[in-house]
Amino acid sequence: RNVEKSASIAQELLLLSGNRREEAGQHEKVNLNDALNTAWQSLAARHLNHRLHNHLPAKMLVSGIPLKLEQLFRNLLGNALDAMPGGGEIEVYGHEMADKVVVSLFDRGDGFNPEDKNRILEPFFSTKAVGKGSGLGLAICYAIMMQHDGTIELAPRRDGKGTVATLTFHNRSARRGKHAK
């Protein structure tokens, strides 16, 4: 298990360092609904006290690398699950605006200290207890969004309980059938 975890961390560091040799995947049309559901299926069996409420449109297409978008959702969902150790609900909404696709994930976890907002996407920064995380999950999410010509923003929920992660894909090419960048 430790070897697998170390290998995973090494792969994540390569992504963050800009080494793109293993990132040779071509951009294609990806249904974010499918990517989210696949990511959830990989996590749900170990988190029986958690529920995902997926309110994404049935077809929400972006230009991207399918495995990377699944990893993006797996990391975000994993953080939400960790923030709610006793169980809870995660809600996901999405909409399209002009040349953007926006997806928001809401949890009811402990959230994060507003003072950490500027550091939360940095590699090795973690609000988890020592040994409970590598501090790479959100940095990887940031790198994946950059690969997909997008942005990620994390903020406390307006009602003060939990976090909202907002993904914005500047997705000019998916509707035209061209590859991004």
Side-chain angles (χ1 to χ4, degrees):
R1 188 172 138 196
N2 286 336
V3 170
E4 288 175 4
K5 186 173 182 177
S6 295
S8 175
I9 289 171
Q11 287 177 340
E12 292 170 352
L13 287 171
L14 285 172
L15 174 64
L16 286 173
S17 71
N19 184 337
R20 309 263 180 196
R21 278 181 286 180
E22 64 179 299
E23 303 305 319
Q26 288 290 333
H27 282 244
E28 60 187 71
K29 288 183 183 179
V30 179
N31 186 347
L32 291 179
N33 198 337
D34 293 342
L36 175 66
N37 287 328
T38 299
W40 178 252
Q41 288 172 2
S42 72
L43 299 169
R46 292 176 288 165
H47 299 279
L48 300 176
N49 294 329
H50 295 87
R51 298 285 176 264
L52 175 68
H53 299 283
N54 179 354
H55 303 287
L56 291 180
K59 286 213 181 227
M60 180 168 261
L61 299 177
V62 298
S63 178
I65 303 169
L67 290 176
K68 288 296 165 189
L69 293 174
E70 289 171 18
Q71 181 182 13
L72 169 74
F73 284 122
R74 210 171 14 261
N75 287 355
L76 290 173
L77 291 169
N79 276 1
L81 294 169
D82 289 347
M84 302 181 297
E89 298 184 355
I90 302 167
E91 295 181 78
V92 183
Y93 296 90
H95 62 278
E96 295 183 50
M97 310 179 332
D99 288 340
K100 296 180 186 176
V101 172
V102 179
V103 175
S104 298
L105 292 88
F106 297 84
D107 70 44
R108 293 262 179 212
D110 294 332
F112 61 91
N113 186 335
E115 296 168 7
D116 295 332
K117 183 172 174 88
N118 292 333
R119 296 189 60 216
I120 204 140
L121 296 173
E122 291 178 8
F124 304 110
F125 179 81
S126 180
T127 60
K128 297 176 185 176
V130 174
K132 295 292 182 184
S134 64
L136 291 174
L138 290 174
I140 294 299
C141 291
Y142 174 79
I144 291 170
M145 289 305 295
M146 293 296 292
Q147 283 180 324
H148 289 83
D149 192 26
T151 61
I152 179 171
E153 180 182 342
L154 297 160
R157 288 181 66 130
R158 287 185 184 155
D159 61 10
K161 182 68 174 158
T163 300
V164 58
T166 303
L167 308 172
T168 303
F169 295 88
H170 303 283
N171 198 37
R172 294 167 287 279
S173 59
R175 286 184 211 108
R176 288 184 233 137
K178 296 179 184 174
H179 295 300
K181 288 192 174 179

